[in-house]
Amino acid sequence: MKLSSPTVSAGPGPGTSPADLLRRLRARGAGDPITHVERVPARAGVPAPWPPWAPTELRAAFARRGVVAPWRHQAEAASLAYDGGHVVVATGTASGKSLAYQLPALATLLADPRATVLYLAPTKALAADQLRAVTALELEGVRPACYDGDTPRAEREWIRKHSRFVLTNPDMLHHGILPGHAQWSGFLRRLAYVVIDECHTYRGVFGSHVAHVLRRLRRQCARFGATPVFVLASATSGDPATAAGRLTGLPVTAITEDASPRGGVTFALWEPPLLPSAPSSSAPAQATGAHDDMTELTQVRRSALRETADLLADTVAEGVRTLAFVRSRKGAEVVAASARRALDEAVPGLGDRVAAYRGGYLREERRELERALLHGDLLGLASTNALELGVDLIGLDAVLICGYPGTRASLWQQAGRAGRSGQEALAVLVARDDPLDTYLVHHPEAIFGAPVEATVLDPANPYVLAPQLACAAVEAPLTPADLALFGDGAKEAIDQLVEAGALRQRPTGWYWRHRERPEVDLRGEGGAPVAVVESATGRLLGTVDGGSSHFLLHRGAVYLHQGVSYVVDDLDLADGCALVHVEEPDWSTHARDVTDLSVVSVRSYVDAGPVGMFLGEVDVTSQVVSYQRRRIATGEVIDTRPLDLPSRELRTVAVWFTLSPQSLALAGVQAADVPGALHAAEHAAIGLLPLMATCDRWDIGGLSTALHQDTEAPTVFVYDGHPGGAGFAERAYGTASAWLRATRDAIAECGCETGCPSCVQSPKCGNGNNPLSKPDAIRVLDVVLANLPT
């Protein structure tokens, strides 16, 4: 991939401030898209002396890199870890959390020539960035190295034998290091520190799996006589000590007071304008081919993707180094391609200064993009959250956030990517046409006046615990002493594995019975990734996770890669391969699915007269059955084509509420309108749940029906989209009144008449957002809130 560099200003002109830039951006369109501007003031840093145990050699190495003294929170966390305490540093973006773990780890490596350190990052990009940072210190004998899926086979044996600071990710720890613990015995026997960077990302099913991978690591270290200290780094989050303790299974001390300096941030909430009114029709209309589903609307908002693309082009044209965060891989490609086209029309060649960055790219592409951004060859980048984490993006002036990222923690992480060495920065949240985004841009106190969420994970999830115990049994027979290590439910899970024939019980413990290892997907993405291959050349373009392949790679789907459009010829799920050809159609594709749900058991419930609130296990069956083709220019539906894909079954945890038909009738909801009322309430409730839990609407699903076979009443279900649950439904059940009150307010305050994507329409509705009744959804929620205890 070649990135050219035409002559253009490397930064905004002299005297340009974020406020000036924002004024110019808001003046370029019709009306005022900004609903709120928050000024986050600058903050002075509070330094601390170097700890007395920090060796002179290490202090000098940091000084060469411009660190003359640590900030107070860095010194406090480093000293706790050096004294043997497990610690989590939960401070803001760019607060120097890396020094807090580098200082004790590297000091120990210099003092003890046999000691080793294991560093875990959730992404390869972050591990590569940390490798650059540690290597740049030029400390003799440390020999840092990355050990991940991109590491050449020839280098792996050298790393196992000689590296003393190994940087990897939970996936490689799970698939490579722990199964090969005999080859790693020398490294594990001398392991002094385990560093877990960006630990707030380990949530839901992924976090629950990682929690047990860490317990398996502790188990192997103990077998070799090692008890490493765990040092965790996190974005600011609610109750970080509890979350870190749940992740590691150890008592952890939290350092949360941020003593680093921070430049001021101008943070704007931006709502795209309404498009000119258009006559309604029976076919769904849409603002763009890559955004939300619409049904019989006369007025829609401009797509957040198009708005972000225009803002990215505007800031790059101003010479402002900008990172645009986009929620989906396809969206990142669309934003980058649109910005490139707009820039090339203005200044030929300027579009080459913008690119997309996302998961699924080949290693060489990722490294080249990271290099180009760090060296200033790129001025603008449209990225998924792959660059949200602590990769050192020096010199960014502005961040555009296309759609609320799901949590306040992620929002502040992304906004914190901008700011040159403490200088002023601009952050803009561009709202999607979505209930949560619309609610937030009109309720700024929900962003700026609310604490960040607590990280939700559930290591006791039986769908996580059992396969992780199977992996542990392969590594070494399980013993009764291991039950406490793996926590609640471990004995029951082992008994199930014995009954299933996977484990054999002997007087000395439980032994794995099969020749092959169990296949365990840490990230809960629905199976192995599917390779995307160009039919004509056999070239591997990238990969898509198995869980998304039915929606993104079905036959006839449009697939984007680095601005080039492809159409899928065939999807072979058995071989994990999709064949595509280059094509630039004037339409986009949108998969549609059908869902069925049955109640398995009830864990807890509230009897509130005509209303019932429940938490329990459910079985969900879903199948992608068709896809629509829509004109990119107009959103017109061209046709709907059937698909023959296998159904998927999921046992998970759900929260649901029921209402008596009499209560609905008294509230003025006619019997014929009950399905639309419940459907609209379900969509809005799913959209607003991320206010209460660390999830987004793509982590959860829902179903509503005027008469469910198991509840025998009108019912709305919201369920976790992961086997065994991820803790989101429990959080919804525990905060039901606040959650449904925000849902009701979001619907009632929306300015539309009959319902729109800002309140009750969903971008992932398998029924094409039909039927929906906005006014009756408000009546339904009024009934629930009037009866439900607060």
Side-chain angles (χ1 to χ4, degrees), residues 250-580:
L250 296 164
V252 179
T253 301
I255 303 297
T256 57
E257 186 176 347
D258 192 338
S260 65
R262 181 185 64 192
V265 179
T266 299
F267 204 134
L269 304 183
W270 186 292
E271 186 173 41
L274 289 166
L275 295 173
S277 298
S280 61
S281 67
S282 59
Q286 191 181 26
T288 89
H291 196 43
D292 302 313
D293 295 274
M294 312 284 181
T295 308
E296 297 186 358
L297 294 183
T298 58
Q299 198 171 37
V300 297
R301 290 202 176 275
R302 194 165 190 263
S303 162
L305 290 175
R306 287 192 174 183
E307 198 81 351
T308 303
D310 285 353
L311 289 171
L312 179 59
D314 288 342
T315 55
V316 169
E318 293 268 359
V320 175
R321 292 188 181 180
T322 306
L323 179 61
F325 283 107
V326 189
R327 291 166 58 86
S328 70
R329 294 180 175 188
K330 182 177 181 180
E333 296 280 4
V334 168
V335 167
S338 298
R340 281 196 296 262
R341 282 195 299 269
L343 288 165
D344 281 335
E345 288 174 6
V347 180
L350 188 54
D352 291 336
R353 303 294 294 275
V354 175
Y357 185 104
R358 61 171 176 78
Y361 282 178
L362 302 180
R363 178 193 182 191
E364 295 76 15
E365 290 179 301
R366 295 197 309 270
R367 295 294 180 264
E368 173 63 12
L369 287 167
E370 292 162 18
R371 184 208 63 78
L373 186 64
L374 289 169
H375 287 79
D377 297 337
L378 286 173
L379 272 178
L381 199 62
S383 172
T384 58
N385 64 358
L387 286 179
E388 173 184 320
L389 306 179
V391 178
D392 190 10
L393 304 177
I394 300 169
L396 289 175
D397 301 296
V399 166
L400 308 173
I401 303 168
C402 181
Y404 183 64
T407 66
R408 286 180 287 272
S410 288
L411 182 74
W412 288 110
Q413 278 287 100
Q414 293 181 2
R417 291 291 91 201
R420 299 191 190 197
S421 302
Q423 294 184 20
E424 297 284 319
L426 174 66
V428 180
L429 171 62
V430 181
R432 293 170 303 150
D433 222 355
D434 167 275
L436 180 56
D437 286 37
T438 303
Y439 180 86
L440 290 173
V441 295
H442 291 285
H443 292 80
E445 71 280 0
I447 294 176
F448 302 108
V452 293
E453 308 86 351
T455 303
V456 176
L457 65 149
D458 180 18
N461 179 340
Y463 289 85
V464 171
L465 181 54
Q468 286 292 336
L469 285 167
C471 292
V474 175
E475 293 154 9
L478 294 166
T479 67
D482 292 325
L483 298 179
L485 175 65
F486 288 97
D488 294 342
K491 182 60 169 64
E492 292 81 357
I494 288 175
D495 291 343
Q496 292 173 3
L497 290 168
V498 171
E499 185 178 347
L503 295 181
R504 175 183 288 115
Q505 186 171 7
R506 290 287 182 261
T508 53
W510 293 273
Y511 290 73
W512 181 247
R513 296 188 59 179
H514 304 300
R515 184 183 301 273
E516 68 282 355
R517 286 180 50 81
E519 290 290 331
V520 178
D521 176 15
L522 290 193
R523 298 178 184 262
E525 293 176 336
V530 176
V532 183
V533 177
E534 189 173 20
S535 303
T537 64
R539 179 169 65 103
L540 175 64
L541 298 175
T543 59
V544 169
D545 65 84
S548 301
S549 60
H550 289 210
F551 291 89
L552 300 180
L553 294 176
H554 58 77
R555 184 189 297 270
V558 176
Y559 175 80
L560 294 176
H561 183 84
Q562 277 295 359
V564 179
S565 178
Y566 299 83
V567 174
V568 178
D569 299 315
D570 185 53
L571 171 61
D572 189 330
L573 292 170
D575 289 340
C577 177
L579 298 177
V580 302

Side-chain angles (χ1 to χ4, degrees), residues 565-782:
S565 178
Y566 299 83
V567 174
V568 178
D569 299 315
D570 185 53
L571 171 61
D572 189 330
L573 292 170
D575 289 340
C577 177
L579 298 177
V580 302
H581 68 269
V582 176
E583 186 177 337
E584 291 284 347
D586 64 350
W587 39 263
S588 60
T589 52
H590 305 262
R592 305 179 70 177
D593 64 344
V594 295
T595 302
D596 188 30
L597 182 150
S598 60
V599 176
V600 177
S601 64
V602 175
R603 290 186 187 176
S604 179
Y605 71 94
V606 174
D607 184 349
V611 172
M613 181 66 66
F614 299 84
L615 177 73
E617 286 78 27
V618 296
D619 280 336
V620 181
T621 303
S622 62
Q623 183 179 20
V624 175
V625 295
S626 64
Y627 70 97
Q628 287 183 340
R629 297 191 307 160
R630 302 180 190 162
R631 298 281 183 205
I632 292 175
T634 65
E636 172 197 357
V637 176
I638 302 171
D639 57 20
T640 300
R641 300 189 172 190
L643 291 170
D644 183 20
L645 288 168
S647 62
R648 289 174 163 176
E649 296 183 358
L650 172 73
R651 176 161 292 186
T652 186
V653 179
V655 58
W656 65 94
F657 62 83
T658 61
L659 306 95
S660 70
Q662 295 82 1
S663 68
L664 291 175
L666 288 172
V669 182
Q670 301 299 317
D673 297 326
V674 169
L678 299 176
H679 194 196
E682 171 216 328
H683 281 182
I686 289 172
L688 270 293
L689 183 53
L691 273 181
M692 309 296 162
T694 49
C695 66
D696 63 35
R697 73 184 309 153
W698 302 99
D699 289 320
I700 47 186
L703 182 139
S704 57
T705 175
L707 181 64
H708 191 268
Q709 69 272 14
D710 295 327
T711 67
E712 299 182 345
T715 310
V716 172
F717 293 89
V718 175
Y719 58 85
D720 292 355
H722 301 279
F728 308 137
E730 286 94 334
R731 181 68 176 160
Y733 180 78
T735 61
S737 288
W739 166 43
L740 296 178
R741 172 65 61 189
T743 300
R744 191 260 180 212
D745 291 347
I747 301 173
E749 293 170 5
C750 184
C752 71
E753 292 184 9
T754 59
C756 71
S758 294
C759 56
V760 299
Q761 291 191 348
S762 169
K764 61 174 191 171
C765 180
N767 295 317
N769 287 294
N770 186 48
L772 292 175
S773 175
K774 173 184 174 177
D776 288 321
I778 297 173
R779 297 185 181 101
V780 164
L781 292 168
D782 282 340

Side-chain angles (χ1 to χ4, degrees), residues 84-392:
H86 309 293
V87 61
V88 56
V89 189
T91 53
T93 309
S95 60
K97 292 186 284 288
S98 58
L99 182 68
Y101 54 74
Q102 288 174 2
L103 189 54
L106 294 173
T108 299
L109 294 185
L110 293 173
D112 180 359
R114 291 177 54 79
T116 60
V117 172
L118 182 66
Y119 168 95
L120 297 174
T123 66
K124 294 177 182 178
L126 181 54
D129 185 74
Q130 283 296 303
L131 175 63
R132 286 191 290 267
V134 175
T135 302
L137 294 172
E138 299 178 338
L139 297 170
E140 186 176 352
V142 172
R143 300 187 293 274
C146 270
Y147 189 88
D148 57 31
D150 292 339
T151 305
R153 293 283 175 185
E155 296 179 16
R156 296 189 178 192
E157 184 176 358
W158 183 93
I159 293 171
R160 286 194 295 267
K161 291 183 177 179
H162 302 292
S163 177
R164 299 177 61 218
F165 196 121
V166 172
L167 301 99
T168 187
N169 52 62
D171 307 83
M172 182 55 84
L173 180 61
H174 164 66
H175 289 292
I177 295 176
L178 289 175
H181 57 82
Q183 296 175 299
W184 286 88
S185 60
F187 181 90
L188 296 175
R189 185 175 289 112
R190 304 190 301 271
L191 189 60
Y193 289 95
V194 177
V195 176
I196 305 174
D197 209 352
E198 305 290 2
C199 66
H200 65 282
T201 63
Y202 301 123
R203 62 175 180 83
V205 167
F206 180 38
S208 303
H209 273 294
V210 172
H212 287 298
V213 172
L214 295 177
R215 285 159 175 76
R216 287 161 50 202
L217 173 64
R218 289 174 51 206
R219 179 172 178 252
Q220 288 303 322
C221 288
R223 292 181 66 238
F224 293 120
T227 54
V229 172
F230 282 74
V231 187
L232 301 95
S234 170
T236 51
S237 65
D239 200 3
T242 298
R246 191 177 295 125
L247 185 65
T248 61
L250 296 164
V252 179
T253 301
I255 303 297
T256 57
E257 186 176 347
D258 192 338
S260 65
R262 181 185 64 192
V265 179
T266 299
F267 204 134
L269 304 183
W270 186 292
E271 186 173 41
L274 289 166
L275 295 173
S277 298
S280 61
S281 67
S282 59
Q286 191 181 26
T288 89
H291 196 43
D292 302 313
D293 295 274
M294 312 284 181
T295 308
E296 297 186 358
L297 294 183
T298 58
Q299 198 171 37
V300 297
R301 290 202 176 275
R302 194 165 190 263
S303 162
L305 290 175
R306 287 192 174 183
E307 198 81 351
T308 303
D310 285 353
L311 289 171
L312 179 59
D314 288 342
T315 55
V316 169
E318 293 268 359
V320 175
R321 292 188 181 180
T322 306
L323 179 61
F325 283 107
V326 189
R327 291 166 58 86
S328 70
R329 294 180 175 188
K330 182 177 181 180
E333 296 280 4
V334 168
V335 167
S338 298
R340 281 196 296 262
R341 282 195 299 269
L343 288 165
D344 281 335
E345 288 174 6
V347 180
L350 188 54
D352 291 336
R353 303 294 294 275
V354 175
Y357 185 104
R358 61 171 176 78
Y361 282 178
L362 302 180
R363 178 193 182 191
E364 295 76 15
E365 290 179 301
R366 295 197 309 270
R367 295 294 180 264
E368 173 63 12
L369 287 167
E370 292 162 18
R371 184 208 63 78
L373 186 64
L374 289 169
H375 287 79
D377 297 337
L378 286 173
L379 272 178
L381 199 62
S383 172
T384 58
N385 64 358
L387 286 179
E388 173 184 320
L389 306 179
V391 178
D392 190 10

Side-chain angles (χ1 to χ4, degrees), residues 23-37:
R23 253 191 309 273
R24 292 203 291 272
L25 292 176
R26 81 193 299 177
R28 294 186 183 186
D32 187 359
I34 296 179
T35 62
H36 180 79
V37 177

